[in-house]
Amino acid sequence: MSLDSFLLTVEDVTLNFGGTAALSNVGFQVRQGEIRAIIGPNGAGKTSMLNCISGFYRPQYGQICYKGQDLTKVASHKIASLGIARTFQNIALYTGLSILDNLMAARHIHMKQNSAASMLYWGPAQREEIAHRAIVEEIIDFLEIAHIRKAIVGALPYGLRKRVELGRALALEPKLLLLDEPMAGMNVEEKEDMARFILDIHERRGVTVVLIEHDMGLVMDISDRVVVLDFGVKIGDGTPDDIKNDKKVIQAYLGQA
Ligand SMILES: Nc1ncnc2c1ncn2[C@@H]1O[C@H](COP(=O)(O)OP(=O)(O)O)[C@@H](O)[C@H]1O
Ligand SMILES: [Mg+2]
């Protein structure tokens, strides 16, 4: 495997909060086009890892290489424009706005915009608005929420809000999608829908996915390779079959799951 087939290379990442070591010298690679899961018990450092990749946290040590750039040195607001989008463990949406407006807002916040030009109704700004709208409508169709696109997000049931959050991330047209427990708290049917969307995003849109998830059946089904964290340390890394049979992983995590 040549180095340039890796979209993301995490090397030696160390993140401390006071006396707590959230991540200790963690390293792994994400291949272009794969679904890469991160699993492990609560407090293992999974969310912290995503926060380091998305620039929300700065590790004290280590590198995160993405397309030749060290993300630990890139301003967090620039990271989205490099093609990296994420969802949050606790849903973060504008609850007073509609689905459509949440997705449009994502494009306006993260994409190039010129507020002076956008005051002129005709011209490039309006063409840009139409283009944004077409992309957002396509995502809404894809996620099968066209019939409720004008609904206020705060009034939606939890499973649908998680789906809208995925839509918001997709509105950035990411190359790399970071999903923090996208199926947590869902019923079986909602989980299966979400798994289908993630697989479609991956297969049809060619998006590389890093997925944190606790449902081991689903993780082992849909991911190509799995990283296992425990107390901030990587204790396993391999295909789902490798991981299922790894004694250290079974002892630390799978045995109790
Ligand atoms: N902002 C923070 N301030 C202090 N401690 C934190 C912060 N974020 C995470 N931690 C700590 O880092 C460790 C890993 O947390 P987290 O990455 O959320 O784990 P996971 O997502 O695997 O459950 C935990 O001990 C947690 O308390
Ligand atoms: Mg977490």
Side-chain angles (χ1 to χ4, degrees), residues 15-18 20-23 38-51 56-57 89 180-181 212 214 229 231-232:
L15 175 73
N16 299 305
F17 293 105
T20 309
L23 296 165
I38 303 177
I39 66 170
N42 284 327
K46 305 179 298 296
T47 297
S48 295
M49 189 70 243
L50 283 204
N51 282 336
F56 195 65
Y57 290 166
Q89 186 166 359
D180 197 349
E181 303 198 22
I212 297 175
H214 280 293
L229 296 180
F231 291 108

Side-chain angles (χ1 to χ4, degrees), residues 133-146:
R133 180 73 180 242
I135 288 163
V136 162
E137 293 283 5
E138 195 270 322
I139 291 163
I140 286 175
D141 280 346
F142 167 73
L143 292 174
E144 298 164 11
I145 45 181

Side-chain angles (χ1 to χ4, degrees), residues 99-100 103 133-149 163 167 170 196-197 200 204-205:
I99 292 179
L100 190 59
L103 269 56
R133 180 73 180 242
I135 288 163
V136 162
E137 293 283 5
E138 195 270 322
I139 291 163
I140 286 175
D141 280 346
F142 167 73
L143 292 174
E144 298 164 11
I145 45 181
H147 58 296
I148 48 170
R149 51 211 259 293
R163 201 185 294 184
L170 287 179
R196 181 165 54 83
F197 290 128
D200 272 4
R204 299 217 304 240
R205 297 171 182 251

